[in-house]
Amino acid sequence: LALYVYIAMCLFKMGYYDVSMENLSIYGEAYPDSMVVNNLKACNAFMLCNGPTALQELTNSFNEKLRNENDLLRHNTVVFTGGEKALQVLPSLIDKIPEAKLNLAIYYLRLGEIDAAAELMEEFEANSPESHIVLGTIHAEIGQMTGSEEDIQRSQKHFDVVGNSPNECDTIPGRLSMASSLFLQQNYNDAIEVFDSVKRILGNTDDFKWNYGVCLAASGNYEDGLDVLMTLSQESFKSDLSMWIAKCYIMTNNPESAWGLYLNTNDPEKELDLLMLIAEEYYKLGGFQFFYAAKAFSSLLKLEESTSFMDGAIGASVGYFRHCTYVKSQRNASENFSEKLAEIVDMLVKLESPKSTRIA
């Protein structure tokens, strides 16, 4: 009978969680109180269903005293509760349970504490798909934050190991790893194809929506990217969600919504980033978009005095004047610019520079 337990463990490692459950049930009928069996059943439940289901399996199988004293059960309880009491439990288990370090790193990543995760995993040698994915995620975050090409390449290699593995390439983690590698290579269209292959299974999860929406937008498909990203909550998800939504608004000719994102932002750092994005993107687009570029540069000047912001505000204003003159020169031009022109003139006067006053 013990052979069924060993087979169940191997099946769990291979990702065949439902078949693992079947093998456990055979041994479990003879030994219903087996700690190994009941713990593995909980782990299978976690992979097949969710944390609460797995936690209920532990609660039904083990009394509270044992759950609080046994290291493996304490570790798994943290995992099943999504990291609850992670800092109190996991550090002391790092030298006892191999997965403890990995799960602590995952906990840091979920909190956005990239430096803490990187320090924890600094000398860690990846030896499993999960560890390659964690290290790949850490290096991707560092590379995108710092612009480090070395970290991006290291991240790509970790994701490639999982995505190209014969044993992992057709699993969900394998597909997501390949999509991550393609995204880091800026091969967005191929990444979208891979995301589409798992969309039916993961399409309602926030992590998938974030990665899929950003990939769509990065590929130039801003409308579909916006539709996906708008289903996410700013409060519970990525801090730069508003930046991608603003980018989508800008590129789908929706300037009022992009400006509204800035007006509704209470975070000073995010406010500055949004204004920079609006100013630079609308300046590049030109035409009637110069109006919003001028407003953004003017608002930036209120936050920080800068020659480049002043030049941007004046240049965008002149660009808008020229756009109005050109449109008015065309036959049957019906657009009324008077309100926006008045706003631009008022803005130039308030800039209080000799050049802006002369233009106004």
Side-chain angles (χ1 to χ4, degrees):
L1 280 176
L3 184 60
Y4 285 104
V5 179
Y6 292 119
I7 293 173
M9 289 178 178
C10 293
L11 289 166
F12 177 83
K13 286 290 186 181
M14 293 170 66
Y16 298 113
Y17 309 114
D18 50 349
V19 188
S20 175
M21 278 291 215
E22 292 172 8
N23 279 266
L24 286 174
S25 64
I26 297 171
Y27 186 89
E29 288 178 3
Y31 301 97
D33 296 327
S34 168
M35 179 174 175
V36 173
V37 168
N38 289 318
N39 178 65
L40 189 53
K41 282 173 64 178
C43 293
N44 277 316
F46 179 69
M47 302 306 294
L48 288 168
C49 303
N50 50 42
T53 302
L55 188 63
Q56 188 61 52
E57 190 75 44
L58 280 188
T59 304
N60 292 341
S61 303
F62 306 106
N63 60 51
E64 184 177 0
K65 184 174 184 294
L66 186 59
R67 294 199 310 273
N68 289 331
E69 292 179 352
N70 182 274
D71 287 342
L72 182 59
L73 297 182
R74 289 170 64 222
H75 170 273
N76 288 348
T77 298
V78 170
V79 175
F80 298 160
T81 56
E84 187 177 318
K85 296 183 179 179
L87 295 180
Q88 293 96 313
V89 175
L90 296 182
S92 64
L93 300 179
I94 286 176
D95 295 327
K96 300 177 182 178
I97 299 175
E99 292 82 5
K101 177 177 281 193
L102 208 58
N103 284 312
L104 183 56
I106 292 171
Y107 174 76
Y108 284 137
L109 287 172
R110 286 176 176 167
L111 291 181
E113 297 180 11
I114 311 304
D115 290 340
E119 182 179 352
L120 179 67
M121 301 293 287
E122 187 174 6
E123 297 181 1
F124 189 90
E125 291 292 333
N127 54 12
S128 66
E130 294 79 12
S131 57
H132 278 292
I133 290 170
V134 169
L135 286 169
T137 302
I138 290 171
H139 286 297
E141 291 280 0
I142 294 173
Q144 290 172 336
M145 285 190 302
T146 64
S148 167
E149 188 61 33
E150 180 184 353
D151 279 294
I152 293 295
Q153 290 177 358
R154 292 175 71 180
S155 172
Q156 195 178 311
K157 287 179 181 177
H158 282 295
F159 286 130
D160 280 342
V161 169
V162 182
N164 291 322
S165 166
N167 294 328
E168 298 293 332
C169 61
D170 289 326
T171 66
I172 297 299
R175 294 286 180 89
L176 292 178
S177 294
M178 180 52 66
S180 297
S181 174
L182 291 166
F183 181 88
L184 292 171
Q185 297 172 57
Q186 300 182 12
N187 190 347
Y188 303 121
N189 290 328
D190 286 350
I192 289 169
E193 285 188 23
V194 179
F195 279 129
D196 283 336
S197 71
V198 296
K199 184 178 179 181
R200 181 179 61 84
I201 301 170
L202 300 176
N204 290 325
T205 64
D206 278 355
D207 283 340
F208 178 84
K209 289 177 182 178
W210 167 253
N211 290 319
Y212 189 51
V214 169
C215 197
L216 285 167
S219 73
N221 189 348
Y222 294 104
E223 289 188 6
D224 288 346
L226 179 62
D227 288 342
V228 174
L229 293 173
M230 287 297 288
T231 64
L232 292 167
S233 166
Q234 178 68 63
E235 289 74 23
S236 63
F237 207 64
K238 302 287 185 178
S239 61
D240 48 354
L241 174 61
S242 59
M243 295 294 289
W244 276 103
I245 290 178
K247 176 76 171 182
C248 290
Y249 279 144
I250 290 167
M251 303 308 292
T252 54
N253 195 24
N254 198 344
E256 292 295 340
S257 294
W259 190 252
L261 273 179
Y262 153 66
L263 293 177
N264 292 322
T265 299
N266 297 319
D267 183 339
E269 185 176 346
K270 194 180 298 179
E271 185 179 70
L272 183 64
D273 290 340
L274 278 170
L275 281 174
M276 287 291 292
L277 177 69
I278 293 169
E280 291 173 357
E281 292 296 331
Y282 279 134
Y283 199 98
K284 287 188 287 187
L285 289 170
F288 80 93
Q289 314 282 26
F290 274 128
F291 173 76
Y292 295 95
K295 286 179 66 173
F297 277 120
S298 176
S299 297
L300 282 166
L301 276 169
K302 295 175 184 176
L303 299 176
E304 179 183 328
E305 289 189 13
S306 165
T307 303
S308 61
F309 293 162
M310 177 67 75
D311 291 342
I314 294 172
S317 300
V318 172
Y320 187 67
F321 290 149
R322 288 176 176 170
H323 168 72
C324 296
T325 302
Y326 171 77
V327 172
K328 284 295 184 182
S329 69
Q330 304 303 300
R331 291 183 179 181
N332 302 320
S334 59
E335 189 173 351
N336 188 345
F337 299 102
S338 57
E339 187 174 323
K340 284 186 169 61
L341 281 171
E343 190 172 341
I344 289 289
V345 170
D346 182 60
M347 182 202 73
L348 286 169
V349 171
K350 289 179 179 177
L351 291 179
E352 296 181 346
S353 81
K355 189 174 181 180
S356 66
T357 303
R358 185 169 63 252
I359 295 171

